[in-house]
Amino acid sequence: MTSTAPDVRPEPPHSPDDRSLTEFGYRQELHRSLNRYASFAAGFSFISVLTTVFQFFAFGYAFGGPVFFWTWPAVLIGQLLVAACFAELAARYPISGAIYQWSSRLSTQTFGWFAGWIMVIGQIVVVAAAALALQMVMPAIWSGFQLVGGDPTPTSATGAANAAVLGVILLVLTTVVNLLDNRVLSVVNRVGVTAEIIGAILIVVLLLTHSERSPGITFHTAEGSTDLLGALLVGSFMAAYVMIGFDSAGEMSEETHHPRRTAPRTILTALGAAGLLGGLLVLAGLLAAPSLTDGRLGVEGLSYVLTSSLGDGLGRFLLADVVVAITVATLAIQTSACRMLFSMARDGQLPFAGRLAKVNARTGMPTAPAVVVGLLAAALLLLNFASPEAFLAIGTTCIVMLYLAYAMVTGPLLVRRLKGTFASDGTDETGKPLFSLGRWGVPVNALALLYGLFMTVNLAWPRAAVYDPAGGHWYFQWFTVLFLLVTVVLGVLYRLMRSRRVRSAAEPARALADPAQLPPQ
């Protein structure tokens, strides 16, 4: 694929890292300052097990009961298949806007554009969903954080409204950090991820020492449940929501030292570490819960387990660490969305591309994308004022968008493998062979695609019991499907308008080249 990006001839590269970008027709504008741990932090903080497990544990348990634990390893295996494919691509295309760039270069620019378009809209929704997670922990730390009304439950009217208020405050903070130097961003990410890992390990150990039951409880279904398969399909939402965003290490390739060598490894280690920690966290929460039948675990989730099992003092201290994780996760997701906007705009593929592609020379940060992502995510949070059901609708929609975008990469990659046109050789910046699946490429890729498509349908299926339990809000029941449809329609309209403008701009040039094309005088 020939990039339409730079109008300026790339500057001579000053390092092997810069040369790996120059060969794709881009010049080094973002500051390359991330080491391996910072790259790992980018992927891990997007996944953020503390943020997402605390946010959706109650939902998974309410629908699946203790047996929903087994959806975790199932989703982890599926996502590891996808991550292995992405690791290969990160080694071969170390460019910001990973999903867009990979899909475009594996298929066509139009198909890749839609993958990038769906991905960036999905990322913006994820930013909003992550910011909403504060409601699951901050009122549990101190009742004064319930700024609106008195009921902190996210599914109540006041809880949903308060979640939006706390989320907007957080988005202001993360937007400011995304306008600063990327070294500041890297420090915040690394410190936050380190605190999250330590906190998650501490929570797991403490909860396991306060176990009330044996691991055999994970084979029990929810009380009164008769549809085990349905319960597991819905219960898988939590694991599916947690284990996305590992591609962020690829998104940050243009800011990473030795990206061809570093990004593939950090994509896999970020997902692997998050998968292990998250699985232990879910298991420990089930074992340490004071009661599985009083209804509180399906409403308050892990916050209830921490404060009840470990006492208010220690429980609240650990919940404060969860707040740090939520903050860093929201920051990382917003950063990833910014890099996607920047990459697509640099290729002239978005409205106001010139402004969105501009990088501040001093900070090395694309400033306009940070503001755009922050404002759009804040606008989505306002849906929470309309109805508490928006909390779940926003969360599920973002997962579906990302899963579909992932499939728009693994699909073309499988086609290229079957045609024998996917280059599996090459060397990284140190002269060592690039990460490769070798002979396992086709089966791993095929399973990754099938898994991704299955989960996309499962997550988007308009279940009334899930999306509109109170009834009377058909638009929430169909919210994910409608949102995806609107996203695609807007993308088609923009592409048609853009094609028309390109053709109109080309007409005078053709007329000058061929006088017969001039209109009669």
Side-chain angles (χ1 to χ4, degrees):
M1 184 194 78
T2 303
S3 171
T4 59
D7 294 319
V8 181
R9 186 183 301 275
E11 296 175 354
H14 301 290
S15 73
D17 296 341
D18 293 348
R19 284 195 293 273
S20 70
L21 181 60
T22 303
E23 69 183 60
F24 294 108
Y26 300 111
R27 62 176 178 172
Q28 186 70 46
E29 293 182 280
L30 304 175
H31 291 180
R32 199 177 287 278
S33 61
L34 306 185
N35 58 21
R36 183 168 181 173
Y37 186 69
S39 177
F40 165 83
F44 189 92
S45 56
F46 192 125
I47 301 170
S48 188
V49 289
L50 286 185
T51 299
T52 45
V53 171
F54 270 82
Q55 187 174 9
F56 273 89
F57 183 96
F59 173 82
Y61 182 82
F63 277 92
V67 75
F68 97 103
F69 165 78
W70 293 105
T71 64
W72 188 275
V75 171
L76 175 59
I77 292 170
Q79 290 296 68
L80 281 171
L81 295 172
V82 178
C85 295
F86 285 6
E88 281 191 306
L89 294 172
R92 288 153 183 79
Y93 308 111
I95 316 172
S96 290
I99 298 298
Y100 155 70
Q101 294 284 354
W102 298 342
S103 184
S104 296
R105 294 168 192 278
L106 292 170
S107 55
T108 65
Q109 179 127 27
T110 298
F111 188 85
W113 184 90
F114 275 101
W117 173 248
I118 291 171
M119 183 68 182
V120 75
I121 299 298
Q123 286 173 324
I124 292 170
V125 183
V126 181
V127 174
L132 288 173
L134 285 179
Q135 183 63 23
M136 295 298 296
V137 290
M138 291 190 73
I141 296 174
W142 178 48
S143 60
F145 288 125
Q146 185 64 32
L147 305 174
V148 180
D151 187 352
T153 307
T155 52
S156 68
T158 57
N162 195 68
V165 173
L166 294 177
V168 169
I169 295 172
L170 176 57
L171 286 174
V172 172
L173 174 63
T174 57
T175 300
V176 170
V177 175
N178 260 303
L179 296 175
L180 300 175
D181 192 288
N182 80 336
R183 287 171 296 184
V184 175
L185 177 70
S186 175
V187 169
V188 173
N189 249 341
R190 282 178 287 158
V191 171
V193 164
T194 302
E196 179 174 4
I197 292 173
I198 293 172
I201 293 172
L202 190 58
I203 290 172
V204 168
V205 171
L206 290 172
L207 289 182
L208 289 177
T209 60
H210 288 74
S211 293
E212 299 283 342
R213 55 196 63 83
S214 71
I217 192 66
T218 59
F219 293 99
H220 293 200
T221 58
E223 198 171 342
S225 174
T226 57
D227 182 9
L228 176 60
L229 178 60
L232 289 174
L233 289 176
V234 177
S236 67
F237 284 23
M238 186 201 74
Y241 180 67
V242 174
M243 287 181 273
I244 53 174
F246 44 85
D247 53 294
S248 290
E251 290 284 2
M252 305 299 286
S253 287
E254 292 184 30
E255 294 153 88
T256 304
H257 295 301
H258 305 317
R260 292 183 187 273
R261 181 166 183 78
T262 300
R265 287 158 177 77
T266 51
I267 285 174
L268 292 170
T269 53
L271 178 59
L276 176 62
L277 272 178
L280 290 174
L281 193 59
V282 173
L283 178 62
L286 290 170
L287 300 186
S291 172
L292 299 179
T293 57
D294 63 1
R296 293 186 65 182
L297 194 58
V299 176
E300 300 172 52
L302 282 182
S303 298
Y304 151 67
V305 179
L306 251 63
T307 54
S308 300
S309 301
L310 305 180
D312 279 351
L314 180 57
R316 289 176 180 175
F317 172 76
L318 292 172
L319 286 178
D321 187 64
V322 178
V323 173
V324 173
I326 293 170
T327 302
V328 174
T330 307
L331 174 65
I333 301 165
Q334 185 175 5
T335 303
S336 189
C338 290
R339 297 306 179 268
M340 180 67 77
L341 278 178
F342 162 74
S343 183
M344 295 181 72
R346 179 174 58 182
D347 284 0
Q349 298 295 315
L350 290 175
F352 311 107
R355 182 62 182 146
L356 290 171
K358 187 175 179 57
V359 175
N360 186 306
R362 180 181 62 82
T363 64
M365 303 284 273
T367 54
V371 175
V372 169
V373 173
L375 288 175
L376 291 177
L380 278 173
L381 291 181
L382 299 181
L383 286 173
N384 254 34
F385 285 103
S387 175
E389 278 80 8
F391 181 85
L392 182 59
I394 292 173
T396 309
T397 298
C398 67
I399 318 173
V400 171
M401 302 285 281
L402 266 63
Y403 266 77
L404 182 57
Y406 286 176
M408 294 177 76
V409 172
T410 54
L413 177 58
L414 179 60
V415 172
R416 292 284 293 271
R417 287 188 199 277
L418 294 174
K419 288 182 176 179
T421 57
F422 178 67
S424 59
D425 54 356
T427 57
D428 61 26
E429 297 86 355
T430 64
K432 295 181 179 178
L434 295 175
F435 176 87
S436 175
L437 292 173
R439 62 179 180 177
W440 291 99
V442 171
V444 168
N445 198 159
L447 290 172
L449 177 60
L450 290 173
Y451 160 79
L453 293 175
F454 171 79
M455 285 301 293
T456 300
V457 173
N458 176 42
L459 295 164
W461 200 263
R463 302 173 176 91
V466 176
Y467 299 115
D468 187 24
H473 300 92
W474 66 267
Y475 44 88
F476 278 123
Q477 180 181 344
W478 292 87
F479 184 87
T480 299
V481 176
L482 292 173
F483 192 93
L484 180 58
L485 182 62
V486 169
T487 299
V488 173
V489 169
L490 289 176
V492 170
L493 291 175
Y494 170 71
R495 295 290 296 183
L496 289 174
M497 291 172 57
R498 184 173 178 273
S499 297
R500 192 171 301 159
R501 285 198 304 269
V502 170
R503 285 197 301 268
S504 298
E507 295 260 343
R510 282 201 301 270
L512 288 174
D514 182 5
Q517 297 294 322
L518 291 171
Q521 299 296 320

